[in-house]
């Protein structure tokens, strides 16, 4: 596996098509023109390759505070972590000390990757971040997003979340949604929200609203999300 900052016209077009394929989009997720503008402004698109095959890509740009905003990332299983580390090396090499990006709070596998694999934290919940989305993955759902903060100067030691304490809310499936031991809060999401959406859009919307209420209230009280269990439980604590 190799990683490359992509600058040529053909390579940029290939990444744009790859993003559209991953998101099952009938229109560009990020057009070639947009990717070229990001490159010209000092950002970068990094591709992951197995031989000549493109198996992942990520695009980031610099912010006025000197941090990096990672706009998008997609990769074949097994390539996501090294691709993110390649983006970290690019950002740190140019002086960035932190990176941030957003993801869907209902996607448990992304939460575990961000919080446990990378050791990042989540401190912000934004309801309907993008407004309506028309790709094959998100169509018909509100685009709530969590903001990930990743310290590039020294990774936080990740830990496994073990939910405990009193049940305070019930999820749309009739099982516990939220727990607290008085200091920490745990919030459960579906193990596979993509499958839930396929089976029942209405049930997926109920999960969206239920999880949103827990996170918005918790963040208003100064909590941050710091872990995700294999069973789909976020752990929130005051840092």
């Amino acid at each position: 596996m190799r990683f490359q900052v992509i600058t040529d016209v053909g390579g940029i077009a290939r990444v744009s098509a790859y993003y559209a394929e991953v998101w099952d989009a009938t229109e560009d997720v990020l057009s070639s023109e947009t990717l070229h503008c990001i490159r010209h402004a000092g950002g970068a698109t990094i591709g992951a390759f197995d031989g000549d095959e493109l198996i992942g890509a990520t695009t980031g740009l610099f912010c006025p505070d000197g941090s990096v905003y990672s706009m998008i990332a997609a990769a074949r299983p097994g390539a996501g972590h090294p691709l993110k580390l390649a983006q970290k090396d690019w950002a740190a090499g140019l002086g960035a000390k932190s990176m941030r990006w957003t993801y869907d709070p209902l996607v448990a596998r992304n939460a575990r990757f961000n919080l446990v694999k990378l050791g990042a934290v989540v401190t912000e919940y934004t309801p309907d971040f993008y407004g309506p989305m028309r790709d094959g993955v998100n169509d018909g759902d509100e685009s709530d997003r969590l903001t990930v903060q990743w310290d590039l100067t020294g990774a936080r030691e990740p830990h496994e979340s073990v939910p405990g304490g009193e049940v305070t809310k019930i999820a749309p499936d009739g099982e516990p949604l939220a727990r607290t031991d008085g200091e920490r809060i745990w919030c459960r999401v579906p193990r596979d929200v993509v499958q839930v959406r396929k089976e029942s859009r209405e049930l997926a919307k109920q999960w969206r609203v239920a999880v949103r209420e827990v996170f918005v209230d918790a963040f208003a009280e100064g909590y941050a999300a710091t872990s995700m269990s294999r069973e789909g439980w976020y752990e929130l604590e005051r840092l």
Side-chain angles (χ1 to χ4, degrees), residues 23-36:
W23 270 270
D24 189 21
T26 56
E27 56 189 55
D28 291 331
V29 176
L30 280 177
S31 68
S32 294
E33 292 84 354
T34 300
L35 292 174
H36 280 293

Side-chain angles (χ1 to χ4, degrees), residues 21 33 45 78 80 132 134 140 170 184 189 192 207 218:
E21 179 183 356
E33 292 84 354
T45 292
R134 293 178 294 277
I170 300 299
R184 293 166 294 177
V189 297
D192 186 351
W207 272 104

Side-chain angles (χ1 to χ4, degrees), residues 39-58:
R39 173 194 59 78
H40 194 230
T45 292
I46 300 171
F49 295 88
D50 182 1
D52 291 330
E53 183 183 4
L54 180 67
I55 61 172
T58 185

Side-chain angles (χ1 to χ4, degrees), residues 153-192:
T153 66
R156 182 184 61 85
E157 188 66 30
H159 64 281
E160 291 289 333
S161 178
V162 180
E166 174 189 1
V167 175
T168 58
K169 290 181 181 293
I170 300 299
D173 62 1
E175 298 296 324
L177 171 74
R179 293 177 175 270
T180 183
D181 63 2
E183 294 183 359
R184 293 166 294 177
I185 296 171
W186 288 270
C187 181
R188 185 171 63 91
V189 297
R191 295 289 293 274
D192 186 351

